[in-house]
Amino acid sequence: MLPAGRRSHTNELSKSWEFAGWGTAEHIDDLGDKPVTMNPLDSGPVHKLGQWKATAICGNDITSSCLYVVALCAMYAGPYAPLALAAVAGVLFLFRNIYAEVGSALPLNGGAYNVLLNTTTKAKASIAACLTLLSYLATAVISAYEAMRYAHNLNAGLNVFWATIVLLGFFALLNLIGISESATVAVGLFTFHMTVLSALVLMAGWAVARNPAQLLANWHTPGQYNLPLAIFFGFSAAMLGISGFESSANFIEEQEDGVFPKTLRNMWIAVAFFNPVLSLLAMGLVPVGLMGEHKEDLLAQMGLLCGGTWFRAIVSVDAVLVLSGAVLTAYVGVTGLVRRMTLDRCLPQFLLAENRLRRTNHWIILLFFAVCSSIMISTGGEIEALAGVYTLSFLGVMILFAIGNMLLKVERGRLPRAVRASWGSVIIALIAVALGLIGNLLLNPSYVKIFAIYCFATGLIISGMLLRLEILKVLLAGSNAVVSSIEGVNRRIRIGLVRGIRRLNRFQVIYFVKGDDLPTLNRAVLYVLQNESSRRLRVVHCYARVEDIPSTLIEHLKTVDRIYPRIRIDLLLIKGCFGPELIEKISQRLGVPKNYMFISTPGDHFPHKLGDLGGVRLVM
């Protein structure tokens, strides 16, 4: 036993679970020489995506924005819309390194949630998770609905409402089949979209070059705002043109090594070219005052003016397909994020269930489809209110990602990374997105109320999971107060609640320690108490020779164990070299998921990549 003596504690049923028990010390001299299969954090077969499949999945989302952002930006910026869209492309250029730095340092699914989880607390990281989930929810519903509205233009007999639900169901089925198959479909959609946009640029460019009169007329048309305000509001509206950029970070584990920064580069190139160029060409074809009337089909109207009805039909078909691709992106992104959150016990564990045939997480996919469909049904297809959720949640995620990058620099400065974004670029990018958020709030103040409702509902579910231990304790206290007069019923309720508390407390977490520094051990214990439901911590020290074991490690753990009677601290001394294989063996032997194994921030000479450790978390 770690402590020298025993603490007296009450044996009353309602109090016994408050004392976690004294820790023990144990040696494991041999974990076995049998090779182990290195399983990633996410169980099941890993489908590694190459550059173009990964780019296509997130690229369909971000490049579909040109279908609406060109007209939306022109409504506020007038003839200065191309400048506003170019400014947004400049901000996105800064975010390339911001995302790449985080992805190279913490190559795990989850995006903003992942970086905040490894630099702050689980509760703060859950804020980013809420915003990301809302962003994907709004993306799926809006993209599916707009795709079917374009399809309605091609076939007037199409019922947009039910067609939207069918489209959502189709992509749910596609994701149930598997991500590799989904990516193949995404590549086809992305290739067709890039081809159509390129053809539109060439044909519209030729038409404008032959007759630049409309371009000159629009340039001299006075807008509703002066130049600074026109650029500001146009920039704010144009920020929606980069929605989807965060998606790649949410399935980074499914990408081959080195692919993630390439997806960021490819998305930036597409947005930086097509959005400003299409905006400029739109100024040469359509009167700026009429662009608001074509805000839902401006590109199709451009196709009509420069190529005729046949080309307008092609652009409309492309719109249907690429907006459908954005629905696919939402499914892929939300599956990666929800799975990661479930592994971290922020969401119910049944979501990790996999179907036997394709090893995909059917409950995540089906529930996402059900929520999207319920929104369509409850609103009767009037989904304009989701625009506010879409805007604020996406911009909020971008802000939190920039903050997460800053925290990574400060709190995990020693963590190796292949890319580093300068402090100046991060600060400028953060300010730019914050200004875009302010601009959208000024343009649409009603967004706040709608966004708050959706955010509260999502946050309530996650908060319930994070606080489930406290909730059980409150229920236990309530059972004593409310039904104390009915002893039999009260006892059964108390027994059930105590069992639930003990079940949560028994779940163990592991902290790998290199030395015997007392403040470091104390901070590790405090992190577990503040962020996890578990009340059992196993401190693991790996050694090559017995004489290498820190001499005061046991004594210091005794001290910490006495200070915090609410948590049991066990010491496990393992003969072996710390690394991915040893972590896998410990995980399999002790039954502890690797995302519930913690380490302090490694230095530049750490021999392993963090991503190779299978999801081990940084806590200090």
Side-chain angles (χ1 to χ4, degrees):
M1 303 294 286
L2 284 178
R6 297 181 60 186
R7 174 187 291 267
S8 61
H9 59 280
T10 178
N11 290 322
E12 293 180 16
L13 180 63
S14 61
K15 298 294 183 180
S16 60
W17 44 264
E18 294 282 8
F19 176 64
W22 297 124
T24 61
E26 179 183 358
H27 279 80
I28 297 180
D29 294 328
D30 186 13
L31 283 172
D33 296 327
K34 183 179 178 180
V36 295
T37 301
M38 299 305 298
N39 295 318
L41 175 60
D42 289 353
S43 62
V46 178
H47 306 279
K48 294 293 185 180
L49 301 174
Q51 176 182 171
W52 297 114
K53 284 189 174 182
T55 298
I57 287 177
C58 44
N60 283 323
D61 189 1
I62 194 169
T63 59
S64 67
S65 64
C66 63
L67 294 166
Y68 52 84
V69 78
V70 172
L72 187 64
C73 183
M75 290 170 57
Y76 300 108
Y80 307 111
L83 298 177
L85 286 162
V88 170
V91 174
L92 192 63
F93 179 81
L94 300 179
F95 269 99
R96 280 179 57 188
N97 280 347
I98 293 173
Y99 272 77
E101 178 177 1
V102 172
S104 65
L106 301 168
L108 300 170
N109 289 348
Y113 166 77
N114 175 48
V115 64
L116 292 176
L117 181 67
N118 283 280
T119 54
T120 58
T121 64
K122 185 180 288 188
K124 293 175 182 176
S126 296
I127 297 175
C130 286
L131 295 178
T132 307
L133 288 173
L134 288 176
S135 177
Y136 281 131
L137 183 66
T139 296
V141 176
I142 292 175
S143 297
Y145 184 75
E146 291 300 326
M148 292 302 96
R149 288 188 66 170
Y150 267 97
H152 181 74
N153 292 334
L154 297 170
N155 180 8
L158 182 70
N159 186 304
V160 175
F161 177 84
W162 289 110
T164 300
I165 294 179
V166 169
L167 183 64
L168 289 168
F170 170 76
F171 280 105
L173 178 62
L174 192 60
N175 277 268
L176 286 171
I177 295 174
I179 188 172
S180 292
E181 292 74 8
S182 300
T184 301
V185 174
V187 169
L189 297 176
F190 187 67
T191 302
F192 183 71
H193 182 52
M194 291 294 99
T195 302
V196 172
L197 288 187
S198 298
L200 179 60
V201 167
L202 292 174
M203 296 181 68
W206 175 249
V208 174
R210 291 177 59 190
N211 182 15
Q214 186 62 64
L215 179 63
L216 296 175
N218 279 337
W219 180 254
H220 292 96
T221 300
Q224 59 177 318
Y225 302 108
N226 58 37
L227 177 59
L229 283 178
I231 295 293
F232 172 65
F233 286 128
F235 172 83
S236 300
M239 285 300 292
L240 286 180
I242 59 175
S243 60
F245 191 74
E246 77 286 359
S247 296
S248 185
N250 282 310
F251 62 96
I252 190 172
E253 291 179 61
E254 281 72 44
Q255 301 173 32
E256 294 176 357
D257 291 341
V259 164
F260 177 62
K262 294 178 181 178
T263 66
L264 302 177
R265 178 201 62 197
N266 296 340
M267 285 190 289
W268 175 76
I269 291 174
V271 169
F273 175 75
F274 282 114
N275 285 9
V277 169
L278 286 171
S279 176
L280 180 63
L281 295 175
M283 292 292 169
L285 294 174
V286 182
V288 68
L290 297 179
M291 287 191 185
E293 298 179 11
H294 298 286
K295 64 180 180 180
E296 295 172 351
D297 62 347
L298 179 60
L299 266 61
Q301 182 68 15
M302 290 171 61
L304 174 66
L305 295 174
C306 69
T309 55
W310 67 273
F311 194 48
R312 177 183 181 179
I314 290 177
V315 174
S316 297
V317 169
D318 171 59
V320 172
L321 295 178
V322 75
L323 286 167
S324 299
V327 179
L328 173 60
T329 301
Y331 270 102
V332 173
V334 83
T335 300
L337 175 61
V338 170
R339 181 174 178 84
R340 178 62 199 275
M341 293 176 64
T342 307
L343 286 165
D344 291 334
R345 296 183 175 259
C346 295
L347 292 171
Q349 295 299 291
F350 77 89
L351 293 173
L352 293 176
E354 297 176 340
N355 63 73
R356 295 180 180 178
L357 182 62
R358 306 299 299 184
R359 302 299 300 275
T360 52
N361 300 109
H362 52 276
W363 284 120
I364 297 176
I365 297 167
L366 293 175
L367 283 174
F368 186 66
F369 166 67
V371 173
C372 291
S373 300
S374 66
I375 290 176
M376 282 295 299
I377 295 171
S378 62
T379 60
E382 301 295 328
I383 61 169
E384 287 77 7
L386 276 183
V389 177
Y390 183 55
T391 302
L392 300 187
S393 58
F394 161 68
L395 294 177
V397 169
M398 296 291 279
I399 288 173
L400 289 177
F401 209 102
I403 293 174
N405 183 282
M406 293 178 176
L407 292 172
L408 188 71
K409 295 177 184 297
V410 174
E411 302 292 337
R412 306 288 181 260
R414 295 190 303 144
L415 190 65
R417 62 207 72 183
V419 180
R420 290 183 183 271
S422 67
W423 271 99
S425 64
V426 179
I427 292 172
I428 292 173
L430 176 61
I431 293 174
V433 178
L435 289 174
L437 179 63
I438 293 171
N440 276 284
L441 290 176
L442 292 175
L443 290 172
N444 303 282
S446 61
Y447 281 3
V448 177
K449 180 179 178 181
I450 300 167
F451 171 77
I453 293 172
Y454 278 88
C455 195
F456 176 77
T458 307
L460 193 63
I461 297 172
I462 297 176
S463 298
M465 289 297 299
L466 293 176
L467 299 173
R468 60 192 182 278
L469 182 59
E470 287 72 15
I471 291 172
L472 286 173
K473 290 181 179 180
V474 170
L475 291 175
L476 181 59
S479 73
N480 292 332
V482 176
V483 294
S484 58
S485 59
I486 313 175
E487 186 61 31
V489 174
N490 183 46
R491 180 172 179 80
R492 285 194 294 272
I493 292 174
R494 293 167 66 194
I495 290 174
L497 292 174
V498 169
R499 284 176 178 171
I501 294 171
R502 284 175 172 167
R503 186 164 53 250
L504 289 174
N505 287 344
R506 279 198 301 268
F507 184 80
Q508 58 184 322
V509 298
I510 286 176
Y511 173 62
F512 290 99
V513 64
K514 185 176 181 180
D516 56 0
D517 182 62
L518 184 57
T520 299
L521 296 172
N522 184 62
R523 288 198 299 271
V525 174
L526 284 174
Y527 179 88
V528 174
L529 285 171
Q530 294 169 359
N531 290 274
E532 306 298 340
S533 301
S534 173
R535 291 298 177 260
R536 186 176 181 185
L537 170 64
R538 284 203 174 191
V539 176
V540 176
H541 176 74
C542 304
Y543 66 94
R545 300 174 304 170
V546 174
E547 51 266 31
D548 294 334
I549 300 174
S551 58
T552 59
L553 178 58
I554 292 180
E555 289 301 319
H556 285 174
L557 282 177
K558 284 182 181 179
T559 301
V560 178
D561 197 29
R562 290 193 188 99
I563 294 173
Y564 304 106
R566 291 176 55 225
I567 186 169
R568 173 177 169 176
I569 305 172
D570 296 318
L571 173 62
L572 187 59
L573 301 170
I574 296 179
K575 188 174 183 179
C577 180
F578 178 80
E581 186 172 355
L582 182 135
I583 289 173
E584 187 64 44
K585 288 182 177 180
I586 294 175
S587 177
Q588 293 180 12
R589 178 158 179 166
L590 302 181
V592 179
K594 291 185 286 296
N595 60 309
Y596 272 87
M597 296 181 178
F598 309 144
I599 61 172
S600 298
T601 305
D604 293 335
H605 300 293
F606 188 62
H608 308 287
K609 295 181 179 179
L610 186 63
D612 294 337
L613 302 184
V616 172
R617 281 162 52 187
L618 303 178
V619 296
M620 288 182 291

